[in-house]
Every structure is written in C-alpha cells, then in structure tokens.
Amino acid sequence: MLLITCPNCGVAAEETELHAGGEAHITRFGPEASENDFEDYLFRRENPRGVHFERWRHANGCGKWFHAARCTATLEVFGTYSAQTTEPPREILETIRAKRPAWTWRDLK
Amino acid sequence: MSEPVSALNGASFGGYCDVTEIGLRGMVTLRGDLSAAAFKKVIEAETGLTVPGQRKIVHGKVVSLAWMSPDELLLLVSYRDAAATAARLADSLNHQHAMAVDVSDARASFRIEGSACREVLAKLAPVDLYPEAFGHGDIRRTRLAQVAGAIWMPDEASFEVVCFRSVARYVFDLLSEAARHGGQVGYPVET
Ligand SMILES: [Zn+2]
C-alpha cells in the first residue's frame, strides 16, 4: 500500500484517495519552440527504477495538487512538497542523497 | 414558486446504525486565503465563529464552519438562510480575492447514528477512524467507496456525511448496506 502525505491538508492519504499526475518539473515548450524541444516536452519521460519525482492530486480529499519524491521500486516516499515550484526543495534532495547515494534523475544527483 | 426538495426526500434506513438523509440544508462555500487576516476577519464577523484550523470543524448554535482546504471553508446554515448568507458574505468579501457561493442544492447530507457508527464509515473510507485518530471537532474529506465525500462527528455516537447530490442514492445505499443488521465487524477492535 502506498501512503503519501498531502502537504496541503496534512493527511497521510492512501493511494486510492489520490490521482497520479505524471512526471514532475516538466518545462513547457509552446508553439514557438523547436521541434526537438516540443517533442521532448510532449513525449520524453523518465522511467526510473528508483528515485522519481511526480505530481499527485489529492482528488478524493482537499482537491489540491502537490509534488512527491518516491522510489518506484520500494514505494518509499522521501517527501512531498508544494506544487508551486519548478524544482525539488533542498531538504528533499538531501534526504534522497542520504538514503540513495548513487541516485540520478535527469540532471539531478 | 416550486417547493425545494432534498435528493432523497428524507429517506431513512434502520440497521445496527440508523441512516437518515438529513434533508434540505444550507451550505455556503467560501474561497479565499485562510491565512489572511482580512479574510478571517470578515468570516468571523459574519458567522460569529473562529475560522477552524486544518481539518477541523467548529459548531455554533445554528451554524457550523468547516476547513476544506487551505483556501476553502464550508459554512453550514439553515436552508432558508443560505442564499441570503452567501449574498451577504460575497458583499463583505467584495474587495478581496475571495468568493462566497450558495451550493446547498448541489449537495446531499446524511446522518449515521448508533454506538457502532465508526465502523459504518470505516468500511467505506480509507481513513483511520479509531477514536485516537478521529473524533468530535475533526472533519475529513475522503472517498466513500467510489465517490468523494466529507465526514465529521457531531458527537461520539453519530457521523454526518456530505456528498454531491448527483450521487445521493449511491451514498445512501452504501451507508445502508454497511449498517445492515448482521454486518457488524467489531471496529474499533478493543485492545
Ligand atoms: Zn490534501
């Protein structure tokens, strides 16, 4: 069972209360972008076995979006944080570095 | 003038707990920054209640005020007063980035009464309903089987449930089935 704590309402929500929103921190490339950038934005996704950053919505709860850092192999949740950010906060990165010294995700490590 | 009716016209079911549709009830959704002093001031002046903290509900003599999210409150009033209350609050919040809307007709509400009421809800929602984790003064938005709902305990032996009017029959049937005689499972377990 996957329990993720929603930072907006503080509930340790069971997975069925949540809606998965896909990969986090994707930069939007619009109509003026190059074809490569636009393709990356639309289609290219990380598919890690290990540390991953995702968007979730507390759909059957407070209704708000947030970010979660978790391990796709063990379901360990390293932390959750505000949806209103373009990168993981430092304390989340430090938690991951301490627990998974060899991890990488895009250009983070 | 047509006469307003609630979704299930006060339907009720008798099991090891009693399930009743509460009938017409006034509900006003308030949106705004709950951490902003100006917003709080208006709400507290208009309702006579203190803005509740995270996942809390406060009860006055006739109105209740519930925390729904960091930018949303639910004000429970009598059905008769809902439209005027929403209009008055909207007027008082006029100069803020805030909103007050009468949502009474979009909702249905239920009461579950009986000493084993915790287990009726525990069968339907992925929520820890042990007394240490949830009690009078708490409110929890969650799912009831397949639909969204909010639950709270007016006292130790009852729950109130709010859901969308469009799923009123579904929720009433769920609650009734969970409260049926012979279906008691002994939750919370005595330790
Ligand atoms: Zn939440």
Side-chain angles (χ1 to χ4, degrees), chain A residues 9 11 16-17 60-61 64, chain B residues 55 71 140-143:
Chain A
C9 70
V11 162
T16 61
E17 246 182 45
N60 285 312
K64 300 294 183 194
Chain B
R55 302 198 315 277
D71 62 359
R140 181 71 154 76
R141 294 175 73 183
T142 181
R143 67 178 175 87

Side-chain angles (χ1 to χ4, degrees), chain A residues 17-56:
Chain A
E17 246 182 45
L18 303 163
H19 184 85
E23 189 172 321
H25 310 308
I26 291 170
T27 305
R28 182 178 183 276
F29 285 92
E32 74 290 351
S34 72
E35 288 189 356
N36 281 345
D37 282 344
F38 192 60
E39 184 199 10
D40 285 356
Y41 160 62
L42 276 185
F43 301 115
R44 297 295 177 113
R45 294 293 180 268
E46 300 297 316
N47 185 23
R49 186 172 69 108
V51 176
H52 197 25
F53 297 87
E54 296 171 308
R55 303 192 315 144
W56 287 85

Side-chain angles (χ1 to χ4, degrees), chain B residues 76-97:
Chain B
L76 300 160
V77 297
S78 75
Y79 184 82
R80 201 175 345 106
D81 293 341
T85 303
R88 204 175 59 238
L89 278 156
D91 193 49
S92 306
L93 293 166
N94 193 21
H95 298 293
Q96 299 185 34
H97 183 61

